[in-house]
Amino acid sequence: MPHNLPNTLTWLRIGMIPLFVAVFYMQTPWAFPLSAMIFALAGITDAADGYLARKLNQQSRFGAFLDPVADKLLVAAALVLLVAEHGGFSLALPAVIIIGREIAVSALREWMAEVGERRKVAVSSLGKLKTILQLMAIFALLYYIPIPFLGLELPTFEIGMVLLYLAAVMTLVSMAGYLRAAFGNPPEQH
């Protein structure tokens, strides 16, 4: 296991999950906004570790394995907390879609690696867009408290729900692309 700055940031992201969960459940008025900030900081380490790995030429097979694991743990933990706190079909449905897709695509990648075709299901730009939408949605849902903006109150939770549904759609679209690539019908290039 190579010790370098990108891998350290990935481990830090994983280590932030228990802190994030503990803050989320604190009985204070600032628990939700602070948990959202911790989640955002963890999300920033996701972008930073990949950038630094390329910039410092510190890419490793272990880092390539650990980074998506950290992402999935963070997103799944946040979605589980949100469904537990706010409940309801409208929140549970996209959460199940997102978590289910992550499990399915991870299994697909593992299987493709075993048959020597891992490159067919490498992370796509659509997958990266999906991740950005998920992070934005979850941040807004976690923040929960409306934010004053130009004399109005921005309904962060409602904005988060819209973004979460967009992320769920992108999740399904990107999964379809991975399935087509894996089974010999790659998406058309424009």
Side-chain angles (χ1 to χ4, degrees):
M1 173 178 77
H3 292 285
N4 57 37
L5 182 57
N7 287 348
T8 301
L9 287 174
T10 303
W11 280 114
L12 177 64
R13 184 161 69 254
I14 292 169
M16 292 173 81
I17 295 170
L19 173 64
F20 159 68
V21 172
V23 169
F24 183 86
Y25 280 114
M26 292 175 77
Q27 298 297 313
T28 67
W30 44 266
F32 288 166
L34 183 57
S35 69
M37 296 303 174
I38 294 168
F39 179 85
L41 181 60
I44 290 167
T45 69
D46 180 27
D49 65 16
Y51 171 78
L52 290 171
R54 289 183 295 279
K55 182 82 170 164
L56 301 173
N57 197 27
Q58 294 182 342
Q59 295 168 299
S60 67
R61 291 175 76 147
F62 181 74
F65 157 76
L66 189 62
D67 181 65
V69 170
D71 297 344
K72 288 164 184 40
L73 289 172
L74 180 65
V75 166
L79 290 172
V80 167
L81 291 178
L82 288 164
V83 171
E85 179 68 24
H86 303 292
F89 176 80
S90 63
L91 187 55
L93 178 64
V96 167
I97 289 170
I98 290 167
I99 293 170
R101 179 264 189 207
E102 297 303 341
I103 293 168
V105 169
S106 292
L108 176 66
R109 285 190 176 126
E110 179 68 24
W111 179 66
M112 293 301 287
E114 284 187 30
V115 297
E117 297 288 339
R118 169 93 173 159
R119 63 178 165 61
K120 284 187 173 182
V121 288
V123 175
S124 69
S125 56
L126 194 57
K128 290 179 182 180
L129 175 61
K130 175 265 316 171
T131 299
I132 291 168
L133 275 172
Q134 283 178 2
L135 295 177
M136 290 171 40
I138 292 169
F139 173 82
L141 290 166
L142 289 168
Y143 198 90
Y144 191 73
I145 300 168
I147 299 173
F149 181 74
L150 299 174
L152 301 172
E153 296 277 321
L154 290 179
T156 56
F157 190 82
E158 289 77 7
I159 291 169
M161 287 297 292
V162 169
L163 291 173
L164 190 66
Y165 271 86
L166 288 173
V169 169
M170 291 300 295
T171 293
L172 293 173
V173 170
S174 70
M175 183 174 73
Y178 290 130
L179 290 170
R180 280 194 303 272
F183 296 108
N185 299 317
E188 292 181 27
Q189 301 294 321
H190 294 91

